[in-house]
Every structure is written in structure tokens, then in C-alpha cells.
């Protein structure tokens, strides 16, 4: 049954819909932001050791608390100049997609708490090569939320190959009658997931946030499509402007037109907190980005369970 509006609000409120953003500067006065959940610590830039044959935006590695991590000059990686005088700069140590790295920045401003709805998608016309996932106005200043996944993919590309025997033959090599819905504000992340689906011979449709996905589902339903039958599964990011993944999952699972579609929350965030919120949102599972074999295996499970392979006559 479809949940009432009151049930929707109660469920969404229980999940939470806020984001803490660490603000920083690179080579000018423009403020940039990064999700605090991805930040392990912020410290003055320590001494760096060189890394032979590394990317030009990697000035070296740092030894922090017994661990050696690569350091990325975020300004240089994003094509905005180069940060110098490391003794006076800061290092933002982060964990993204199962890896730990430090981002060299000019200065650190403060942490602010925002509603996901306070974030807007990057302005139209900036093109796919930009390094933004969202923008927000804070104290009458425009803050740009960086697409760190794009930076990391360019500095150290992810291996997208699927190992043999991960996907059953009937899934990998046969035609499919259903689609995969991909929801992510990062163009790089959408392309990574799409390439996995393409290798499995599964068509996909993409949305840039939860609201964009709901708009697509509502439009398709209004045109007479049975989405519970036509979509294998949803692979959905969590932290997105406009509508986050938790809210999308809560609303989709609360609508009988879409409630049978399995939802995988797929995020560079990890930890027990996410797993608890996954359960509250109604999503089926959480998977940390980006491991193509694990993603392909999960998709295969949904394909087999939902029987969408087209049999030859």
C-alpha cells in the first residue's frame, strides 16, 4: 500500500536530511566545500616525500599516524593553478571509495550544516568537464561543492574490469528486457556504473539526484509503464543535492508503483552509520563505492531473482 503523506514525513525525518560541509579555499577567494563525513582530519601540511612517476598533481606522500598516504594538490588537479609554500597550507585527510588520501588546500574556513535541499545542481552550461557536483549560498556567498570522485578518477583511475565467473553466463551474455536506474550527482560515478551495466548487456537510464529520478519514475508511470516490472534495480548515491539517496529510497519504497524495485545505496561513505540509515530508509542494501565485481554481483542477483532475461525462441 502507498504510505500517507504523514508517514512519508515521519520516515524521512527519522532518516535525516542534513549535511555538514567543510569549507576551504584553493588559489583565490572562492569557497569550496567537501562533505565532512568523508573527512578524517584536517592538519597543517606535514613534510612530503616524493613519489617517483606519480601524477603531476601529486606533490608527494605524507606520513600520518603510522600510515603513508598520497597527497593531491586539489587546485592543480582541478586545473586551477598550483598551491605553493606547503608550510603555510593545510591537508584535508579524506576517505573516498575505500581509499585514504590527503587533499592539499590553501586554507580551511569552517564547517557549516546544510539541508540537502539547500544544495543546487551545478549551473547549466558549465559542461561535463567541470569539477562541481553542487552549489550553495552561504552568508550571501556562493560555495561550490567539489566532485572529488572526478578528481580521484583522473589522478588514479579505477579498474572497471569485471572478473570472470563473477556474473553468470545467462546474465552476462543474454538480452535483457529490464533496465537499471542509476542515480548519482557525479558524472564520473554515473559513467562507472553504466559501464558495468553495459558489460552485462543491460540498458540503463540515469538521473542526477533523487528528485530527478522520482520525476522520471512519475513520468514513466503516467505514460502507462509498469516500473516494478520494467526496472531491475536502482543503484543510488547517498549524498546528492536537491534530494539525497535516503529520501529517495524512503519515497520510492513508500509508493506502490515502485516499491518492488530493489534499491542499492551506493556511496563513497562507509561505516555502521550508513548501514543503520539504509534500514531506516527502506533501501535493500548498502555498498561502498566503487568495486565493479561487487556491484556486478549484486546486479546479477537482482536479474536472476526478478527474471528479466529474454529467452530465445
Amino acid at each position: 500500500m502507498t504510505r500517507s503523506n504523514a508517514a512519508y514525513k515521519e520516515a524521512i525525518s527519522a532518516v535525516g536530511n542534513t549535511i555538514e560541509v567543510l569549507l576551504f579555499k584553493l588559489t583565490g577567494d572562492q569557497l569550496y566545500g567537501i562533505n565532512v563525513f568523508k573527512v578524517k582530519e584536517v592538519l597543517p601540511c606535514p613534510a612530503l616525500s616524493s613519489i617517483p612517476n606519480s601524477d603531476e598533481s601529486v606533490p608527494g606522500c605524507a606520513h600520518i599516524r603510522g600510515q603513508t598516504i598520497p597527497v593531491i594538490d586539489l587546485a592543480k588537479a582541478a586545473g586551477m593553478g598550483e598551491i605553493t609554500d606547503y608550510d603555510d597550507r593545510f591537508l584535508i585527510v579524506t576517505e573516498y571509495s575505500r581509499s585514504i588520501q590527503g587533499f592539499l588546500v590553501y586554507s580551511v574556513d569552517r564547517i557549516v550544516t546544510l539541508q540537502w535541499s539547500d544544495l543546487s545542481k551545478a549551473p547549466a552550461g558549465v559542461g561535463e568537464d567541470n569539477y562541481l557536483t553542487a552549489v550553495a549560498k552561504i552568508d550571501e556567498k556562493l560555495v561550490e561543492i567539489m566532485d572529488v570522485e572526478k578528481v580521484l578518477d583522473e589522478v588514479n583511475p579505477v579498474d572497471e574490469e569485471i572478473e570472470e565467473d563473477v556474473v553468470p553466463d545467462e546474465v552476462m551474455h543474454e538480452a535483457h528486457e529490464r533496465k537499471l536506474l542509476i542515480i548519482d550527482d557525479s558524472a564520473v560515478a554515473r559513467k562507472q556504473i553504466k559501464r558495468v551495466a553495459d558489460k552485462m548487456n543491460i540498458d540503463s537510464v540515469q538521473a542526477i539526484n533523487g528528485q530527478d529520478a522520482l520525476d522520471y519514475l512519475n513520468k514513466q508511470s503516467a505514460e502507462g509503464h509498469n516500473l516494478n516490472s520494467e526496472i531491475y534495480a536502482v543503484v543510488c548515491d547517498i549524498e546528492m543535492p536537491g534530494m539525497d539517496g535516503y529520501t529517495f529510497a524512503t519515497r520510492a519504497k513508500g509508493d506502490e508503483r515502485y516499491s518492488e524495485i530493489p534499491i542499492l545505496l551506493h556511496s563513497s561513505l562507509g561505516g555502521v552509520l550508513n548501514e543503520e540509515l539504509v534500514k531506516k530508509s527502506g533501501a535493500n542494501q548498502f555498498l561502498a563505492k566503487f568495486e565493479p565485481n561487487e556491484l556486478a554481483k549484486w546486479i546479477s542477483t537482482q536479474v536472476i531473482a526478478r527474471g528479466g532475461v529474454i529467452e530465445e525462441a
Side-chain angles (χ1 to χ4, degrees):
M1 295 179 62
T2 304
R3 296 183 189 179
S4 65
N5 289 336
Y8 276 144
K9 293 179 181 179
E10 181 180 353
I12 293 169
S13 176
V15 170
N17 197 24
T18 61
I19 175 177
E20 287 188 310
V21 176
L22 174 65
L23 304 182
F24 59 89
K25 294 181 180 180
L26 294 176
T27 56
D29 292 331
Q30 175 63 49
L31 281 173
Y32 297 92
I34 186 174
N35 192 334
V36 167
F37 278 146
K38 299 174 182 177
V39 176
K40 296 178 69 68
E41 63 178 312
V42 178
L43 66 160
C45 183
L48 302 182
S49 302
S50 62
I51 305 177
N53 301 318
S54 61
D55 187 271
E56 63 179 9
S57 61
V58 179
C61 61
H63 305 279
I64 300 173
R65 308 191 193 288
Q67 186 174 16
T68 301
I69 65 171
V71 172
I72 300 171
D73 181 337
L74 197 51
K76 191 166 186 177
M80 293 183 284
E82 184 176 2
I83 294 176
T84 57
D85 301 326
Y86 297 162
D87 290 342
D88 298 323
R89 305 304 168 230
F90 289 85
L91 198 65
I92 303 176
V93 181
T94 66
E95 183 171 3
Y96 274 87
S97 302
R98 311 183 188 210
S99 67
I100 297 176
Q101 53 280 310
F103 291 118
L104 181 65
V105 301
Y106 185 87
S107 63
V108 175
D109 189 83
R110 66 191 190 278
I111 294 174
V112 296
T113 301
L114 302 172
Q115 297 287 322
W116 282 110
S117 57
D118 294 333
L119 302 178
S120 303
K121 63 183 181 180
V126 297
E128 289 191 358
D129 291 332
N130 74 87
Y131 292 85
L132 304 181
T133 60
V135 296
K137 183 170 286 189
I138 302 174
D139 297 335
E140 300 305 315
K141 293 182 179 179
L142 191 66
V143 173
E144 300 178 353
I145 309 301
M146 295 204 70
D147 187 350
V148 179
E149 289 172 279
K150 178 177 174 63
V151 172
L152 292 175
D153 185 66
E154 292 179 352
V155 173
N156 185 25
V158 175
D159 183 1
E160 298 176 358
E161 290 302 313
I162 301 174
E163 296 178 0
E164 293 184 11
D165 301 327
V166 169
V167 180
D169 287 342
E170 66 267 28
V171 175
M172 180 69 84
H173 301 299
E174 299 299 329
H176 297 271
E177 61 182 9
R178 302 183 187 184
K179 299 179 181 179
L180 183 73
L181 175 56
I182 301 168
I183 312 172
D184 204 300
D185 60 328
S186 170
V188 166
R190 292 195 302 271
K191 289 177 181 177
Q192 289 173 337
I193 301 167
K194 182 181 184 301
R195 283 193 280 264
V196 169
D198 288 346
K199 291 173 182 177
M200 298 173 68
N201 202 26
I202 298 174
D203 290 335
S204 59
V205 61
Q206 301 180 28
I208 61 173
N209 60 29
Q211 187 59 60
D212 188 34
L214 283 180
D215 289 345
Y216 166 79
L217 293 174
N218 290 334
K219 183 175 184 294
Q220 291 291 300
S221 179
E223 292 176 356
H225 292 270
N226 183 342
L227 281 308
N228 282 322
S229 297
E230 295 182 16
I231 296 179
Y232 274 132
V234 176
V235 179
C236 182
D237 189 20
I238 292 177
E239 55 280 10
M240 297 178 289
M243 181 185 292
D244 65 285
Y246 294 131
T247 305
F248 168 80
T250 300
R251 293 189 176 178
K253 287 297 186 179
D255 192 319
E256 61 186 7
R257 296 174 297 172
Y258 325 127
S259 59
E260 297 176 17
I261 304 173
I263 298 176
L264 175 72
L265 290 182
H266 187 239
S267 173
S268 53
L269 298 176
V272 176
L273 176 62
N274 280 359
E275 294 176 2
E276 293 175 351
L277 292 177
V278 168
K279 294 178 182 178
K280 290 182 179 180
S281 71
N284 296 77
Q285 191 171 333
F286 168 80
L287 180 64
K289 290 179 181 176
F290 170 73
E291 212 298 314
N293 291 306
E294 292 183 6
L295 180 59
K297 186 175 181 179
W298 185 85
I299 295 171
S300 295
T301 300
Q302 312 315 312
V303 171
I304 293 171
R306 291 167 62 75
V309 176
I310 300 176
E311 298 181 357
E312 294 184 0

